[in-house]
Amino acid sequence: RGDALAIVDLAGIYQSVEDNGTTLQAGSVNAIIAEVESGFNSSYAAAYFPNVRIKDISNGNDSVLMAPPSVAAIGAISKSEAQSQPWFAPAGFNRGGLNEGNAGLPGFNRGALAPLGGPGGASVVGTLEHLNKADRDALYDVNINPIARFPATGETVIFGQKTLQQSASALDRINVRRMMIHLKKRVGDIANTILFEQSVGATFSKFKSRVEPVLITLKNEFGVSEYKVILDETTTTPDLQDRNIMY
Protein backbone atom coordinates (compact mmCIF):
# COMPACT_ATOMS: atom_id res chain seq x y z
CA ARG A 1 0.00 0.00 0.00
CA GLY A 2 2.77 2.43 0.81
CA ASP A 3 0.61 4.48 3.16
CA ALA A 4 0.70 2.55 6.45
CA LEU A 5 3.04 0.77 8.84
CA ALA A 6 2.11 -2.82 9.70
CA ILE A 7 2.88 -4.10 13.20
CA VAL A 8 3.24 -7.84 12.67
CA ASP A 9 3.22 -10.73 15.14
CA LEU A 10 5.51 -13.26 13.51
CA ALA A 11 5.32 -17.02 13.92
CA GLY A 12 7.58 -18.14 16.74
CA ILE A 13 5.95 -15.99 19.40
CA TYR A 14 4.28 -17.88 22.24
CA GLN A 15 0.77 -19.07 21.33
CA SER A 16 -1.85 -20.08 23.87
CA VAL A 17 -3.92 -23.28 23.87
CA GLU A 18 -6.22 -23.72 20.89
CA ASP A 19 -9.56 -25.50 20.73
CA ASN A 20 -8.15 -28.23 18.46
CA GLY A 21 -6.27 -29.74 21.38
CA THR A 22 -2.75 -28.73 20.41
CA THR A 23 -0.23 -28.15 23.14
CA LEU A 24 1.19 -24.80 24.19
CA GLN A 25 3.75 -23.43 21.80
CA ALA A 26 6.47 -21.74 23.80
CA GLY A 27 8.14 -18.77 22.21
CA SER A 28 11.89 -18.45 21.98
CA VAL A 29 14.45 -15.96 20.76
CA ASN A 30 15.90 -18.55 18.38
CA ALA A 31 12.49 -19.36 16.89
CA ILE A 32 11.63 -15.74 16.17
CA ILE A 33 15.08 -15.10 14.67
CA ALA A 34 14.71 -18.14 12.38
CA GLU A 35 11.30 -16.88 11.27
CA VAL A 36 12.65 -13.47 10.31
CA GLU A 37 15.62 -14.95 8.48
CA SER A 38 13.23 -16.99 6.35
CA GLY A 39 12.58 -13.90 4.28
CA PHE A 40 11.03 -10.69 5.65
CA ASN A 41 12.14 -7.43 4.06
CA SER A 42 9.98 -4.31 4.21
CA SER A 43 10.32 -0.82 5.65
CA TYR A 44 6.52 -0.75 5.91
CA ALA A 45 6.42 -3.40 8.67
CA ALA A 46 7.85 -3.88 12.14
CA ALA A 47 7.85 -6.74 14.65
CA TYR A 48 8.36 -7.04 18.40
CA PHE A 49 9.09 -9.75 20.99
CA PRO A 50 7.97 -11.15 23.48
CA ASN A 51 4.34 -11.27 24.61
CA VAL A 52 3.33 -8.93 27.41
CA ARG A 53 1.19 -9.21 30.51
CA ILE A 54 -1.54 -6.60 30.77
CA LYS A 55 -3.97 -5.73 33.52
CA ASP A 56 -7.61 -6.16 32.59
CA ILE A 57 -9.29 -2.96 33.74
CA SER A 58 -12.55 -3.54 31.84
CA ASN A 59 -14.16 -5.92 34.34
CA GLY A 60 -12.86 -4.28 37.48
CA ASN A 61 -11.04 -7.24 39.00
CA ASP A 62 -7.54 -6.40 37.67
CA SER A 63 -6.95 -9.84 36.18
CA VAL A 64 -3.61 -10.21 34.41
CA LEU A 65 -3.95 -11.37 30.82
CA MET A 66 -1.44 -12.26 28.12
CA ALA A 67 -1.32 -10.17 24.92
CA PRO A 68 0.84 -10.35 21.81
CA PRO A 69 3.66 -7.81 21.48
CA SER A 70 1.77 -5.95 18.75
CA VAL A 71 -0.67 -4.74 21.41
CA ALA A 72 2.17 -3.15 23.37
CA ALA A 73 3.76 -1.73 20.23
CA ILE A 74 0.61 -0.12 18.86
CA GLY A 75 -0.22 1.25 22.30
CA ALA A 76 3.27 2.75 22.65
CA ILE A 77 3.11 4.30 19.17
CA SER A 78 -0.28 5.79 19.98
CA LYS A 79 0.94 7.19 23.28
CA SER A 80 4.09 8.56 21.63
CA GLU A 81 2.12 10.35 18.93
CA ALA A 82 -0.18 11.90 21.54
CA GLN A 83 2.91 13.37 23.20
CA SER A 84 4.99 14.23 20.13
CA GLN A 85 5.10 13.81 16.35
CA PRO A 86 5.18 10.61 14.23
CA TRP A 87 8.88 11.17 13.51
CA PHE A 88 9.90 10.77 17.16
CA ALA A 89 10.99 7.23 18.00
CA PRO A 90 8.33 5.24 19.93
CA ALA A 91 11.04 3.53 21.97
CA GLY A 92 13.20 4.02 25.04
CA PHE A 93 12.24 5.23 28.48
CA ASN A 94 10.63 8.50 27.32
CA ARG A 95 8.25 7.26 24.60
CA GLY A 96 8.62 3.48 24.75
CA GLY A 97 7.93 2.96 28.45
CA LEU A 98 4.97 0.62 28.74
CA ASN A 99 4.16 0.95 32.42
CA GLU A 100 5.83 4.11 33.63
CA GLY A 101 5.51 7.46 31.93
CA ASN A 102 7.60 9.67 34.17
CA ALA A 103 10.30 7.50 35.70
CA GLY A 104 13.09 9.50 37.29
CA LEU A 105 11.15 12.72 37.81
CA PRO A 106 11.05 14.18 41.34
CA GLY A 107 8.03 13.00 43.28
CA PHE A 108 7.12 10.36 40.71
CA ASN A 109 5.34 7.31 42.09
CA ARG A 110 7.26 4.40 40.60
CA GLY A 111 4.29 2.11 41.04
CA ALA A 112 2.00 4.30 38.95
CA LEU A 113 0.90 2.84 35.61
CA ALA A 114 0.68 4.76 32.35
CA PRO A 115 -1.98 3.01 30.23
CA LEU A 116 -1.22 2.16 26.63
CA GLY A 117 -2.64 4.68 24.21
CA GLY A 118 -3.65 7.06 26.99
CA PRO A 119 -6.27 7.15 29.76
CA GLY A 120 -8.54 4.10 29.74
CA GLY A 121 -6.04 1.91 27.95
CA ALA A 122 -4.56 -1.34 29.15
CA SER A 123 -1.66 -1.29 31.62
CA VAL A 124 1.38 -3.47 30.94
CA VAL A 125 2.62 -5.16 34.10
CA GLY A 126 5.49 -7.14 32.57
CA THR A 127 6.55 -9.54 29.85
CA LEU A 128 5.92 -13.25 29.50
CA GLU A 129 9.59 -13.96 28.95
CA HIS A 130 12.57 -12.07 30.32
CA LEU A 131 15.17 -10.98 27.75
CA ASN A 132 18.75 -10.51 28.85
CA LYS A 133 21.15 -8.20 27.01
CA ALA A 134 22.39 -10.98 24.72
CA ASP A 135 18.78 -11.81 23.77
CA ARG A 136 18.01 -8.16 23.03
CA ASP A 137 21.13 -7.79 20.89
CA ALA A 138 20.39 -10.97 18.93
CA LEU A 139 16.82 -9.84 18.21
CA TYR A 140 17.85 -6.33 17.23
CA ASP A 141 20.46 -7.70 14.84
CA VAL A 142 17.63 -9.21 12.77
CA ASN A 143 15.37 -6.14 13.14
CA ILE A 144 13.09 -7.47 15.88
CA ASN A 145 12.34 -4.82 18.49
CA PRO A 146 12.83 -6.25 22.01
CA ILE A 147 10.41 -5.49 24.83
CA ALA A 148 12.69 -5.38 27.86
CA ARG A 149 11.76 -5.80 31.50
CA PHE A 150 14.05 -4.41 34.19
CA PRO A 151 13.29 -6.27 37.45
CA ALA A 152 15.34 -3.87 39.58
CA THR A 153 13.07 -0.94 38.70
CA GLY A 154 9.91 -2.71 37.56
CA GLU A 155 9.99 -0.93 34.20
CA THR A 156 8.94 -2.53 30.91
CA VAL A 157 10.31 -0.72 27.88
CA ILE A 158 10.34 -1.10 24.10
CA PHE A 159 14.06 -1.17 23.34
CA GLY A 160 14.12 -0.79 19.56
CA GLN A 161 12.43 0.93 16.64
CA LYS A 162 13.58 -0.95 13.56
CA THR A 163 11.46 -1.80 10.56
CA LEU A 164 11.82 -5.17 8.83
CA GLN A 165 13.92 -3.69 6.04
CA GLN A 166 17.07 -5.77 5.69
CA SER A 167 19.38 -3.26 4.00
CA ALA A 168 20.83 -0.49 6.15
CA SER A 169 19.35 2.94 5.41
CA ALA A 170 17.37 5.65 7.15
CA LEU A 171 14.21 3.69 6.29
CA ASP A 172 15.17 0.82 8.55
CA ARG A 173 13.85 3.01 11.40
CA ILE A 174 10.18 3.26 12.33
CA ASN A 175 10.23 7.01 12.98
CA VAL A 176 11.71 7.73 9.52
CA ARG A 177 9.21 5.49 7.72
CA ARG A 178 6.31 7.05 9.64
CA MET A 179 7.60 10.52 8.80
CA MET A 180 7.72 9.61 5.11
CA ILE A 181 4.20 8.18 5.25
CA HIS A 182 3.02 11.42 6.89
CA LEU A 183 4.85 13.54 4.30
CA LYS A 184 3.62 11.52 1.33
CA LYS A 185 0.04 11.93 2.51
CA ARG A 186 0.36 15.68 3.11
CA VAL A 187 2.09 16.33 -0.22
CA GLY A 188 -0.27 13.95 -2.00
CA ASP A 189 -3.29 15.86 -0.68
CA ILE A 190 -1.78 19.07 -2.05
CA ALA A 191 -1.02 17.43 -5.41
CA ASN A 192 -4.65 16.33 -5.71
CA THR A 193 -5.76 19.98 -5.65
CA ILE A 194 -3.84 20.75 -8.86
CA LEU A 195 -4.75 17.59 -10.72
CA PHE A 196 -5.82 18.46 -14.33
CA GLU A 197 -4.60 22.03 -13.97
CA GLN A 198 -2.53 23.51 -16.77
CA SER A 199 1.06 22.25 -16.82
CA VAL A 200 2.60 25.71 -16.64
CA GLY A 201 4.84 27.71 -14.33
CA ALA A 202 1.91 29.19 -12.41
CA THR A 203 0.74 25.71 -11.43
CA PHE A 204 4.27 24.80 -10.36
CA SER A 205 4.46 27.91 -8.19
CA LYS A 206 1.08 27.17 -6.63
CA PHE A 207 2.19 23.67 -5.71
CA LYS A 208 5.51 24.81 -4.25
CA SER A 209 3.89 27.59 -2.23
CA ARG A 210 1.65 25.04 -0.51
CA VAL A 211 4.33 22.38 0.02
CA GLU A 212 6.90 24.76 1.53
CA PRO A 213 4.90 25.41 4.76
CA VAL A 214 4.53 21.66 5.32
CA LEU A 215 8.29 21.18 5.06
CA ILE A 216 9.09 24.23 7.17
CA THR A 217 6.91 22.81 9.93
CA LEU A 218 8.61 19.43 9.55
CA LYS A 219 12.01 21.08 9.95
CA ASN A 220 10.97 23.25 12.90
CA GLU A 221 9.59 20.18 14.68
CA PHE A 222 12.82 18.17 14.16
CA GLY A 223 11.58 15.86 11.42
CA VAL A 224 14.31 16.86 8.94
CA SER A 225 17.41 19.01 9.21
CA GLU A 226 17.28 20.35 5.64
CA TYR A 227 15.05 20.10 2.58
CA LYS A 228 14.81 21.45 -0.93
CA VAL A 229 11.88 21.61 -3.35
CA ILE A 230 12.80 21.63 -7.04
CA LEU A 231 9.95 21.97 -9.50
CA ASP A 232 10.85 23.69 -12.75
CA GLU A 233 11.89 22.82 -16.30
CA THR A 234 14.90 20.88 -15.03
CA THR A 235 12.63 18.31 -13.36
CA THR A 236 9.58 18.71 -15.59
CA THR A 237 10.92 19.16 -19.09
CA PRO A 238 8.75 20.49 -21.94
CA ASP A 239 8.08 17.00 -23.28
CA LEU A 240 6.82 15.94 -19.83
CA GLN A 241 4.63 19.03 -19.67
CA ASP A 242 3.14 18.06 -23.00
CA ARG A 243 2.25 14.68 -21.47
CA ASN A 244 0.68 16.40 -18.44
CA ILE A 245 3.31 15.00 -16.07
CA MET A 246 4.75 17.09 -13.25
CA TYR A 247 7.89 16.02 -11.37
Side-chain angles (χ1 to χ4, degrees):
R1 291 176 40 156
D3 64 351
L5 177 72
I7 306 300
V8 184
D9 288 317
L10 299 174
I13 299 173
Y14 172 93
Q15 296 178 2
S16 58
V17 175
E18 300 172 356
D19 288 341
N20 61 9
T22 56
T23 58
L24 291 174
Q25 176 187 331
S28 75
V29 172
N30 290 338
I32 198 73
I33 289 174
E35 179 68 16
V36 173
E37 290 178 338
S38 68
F40 287 89
N41 183 16
S42 174
S43 68
Y44 288 95
Y48 296 75
F49 185 83
N51 286 355
V52 294
R53 301 180 186 276
I54 62 174
K55 183 175 288 187
D56 179 13
I57 59 174
S58 63
N59 60 15
N61 63 9
D62 288 341
S63 300
V64 175
L65 310 174
M66 185 181 69
S70 59
V71 171
I74 293 170
I77 290 171
S78 174
K79 186 168 65 174
S80 174
E81 187 159 343
Q83 298 170 351
S84 55
Q85 299 290 357
W87 45 87
F88 284 79
F93 290 93
N94 288 335
R95 288 177 297 276
L98 299 178
N99 65 337
E100 295 190 357
N102 299 295
L105 295 181
F108 173 69
N109 176 9
R110 187 167 286 278
L113 295 175
L116 294 174
S123 296
V124 173
V125 295
T127 57
L128 189 67
E129 300 158 62
H130 176 65
L131 303 177
N132 58 34
K133 185 179 185 303
D135 293 333
R136 299 197 300 268
D137 291 345
L139 290 166
Y140 208 54
D141 283 345
V142 294
N143 303 325
I144 298 296
N145 299 306
I147 301 177
R149 179 169 53 87
F150 298 92
T153 62
E155 294 166 290
T156 303
V157 182
I158 291 178
F159 238 56
Q161 64 126 2
K162 280 190 176 182
T163 67
L164 287 172
Q165 176 174 290
Q166 298 303 311
S167 58
S169 78
L171 291 174
D172 67 9
R173 296 295 188 271
I174 287 173
N175 66 325
V176 177
R177 170 46 70 200
R178 294 193 70 227
M179 181 189 73
M180 294 302 296
I181 290 172
H182 168 86
L183 192 57
K184 286 166 67 176
K185 176 171 173 49
R186 293 293 305 276
V187 174
D189 289 344
I190 294 170
N192 286 340
T193 67
I194 62 168
L195 197 61
F196 301 114
E197 294 296 315
Q198 297 293 90
S199 185
V200 295
T203 303
F204 297 172
S205 296
K206 179 181 178 181
F207 176 81
K208 288 195 292 185
S209 69
R210 296 191 61 189
V211 169
E212 285 279 352
V214 174
L215 293 168
I216 289 173
T217 299
L218 194 70
K219 180 179 179 180
N220 291 341
E221 296 182 351
F222 310 110
V224 295
S225 56
E226 294 293 341
Y227 69 86
K228 188 173 185 178
V229 181
I230 304 175
L231 176 53
D232 54 29
E233 290 192 355
T234 66
T235 63
T236 303
T237 56
D239 63 309
L240 291 175
Q241 293 184 49
D242 291 342
R243 291 157 54 196
N244 296 316
I245 296 173
M246 183 185 79
Y247 282 122

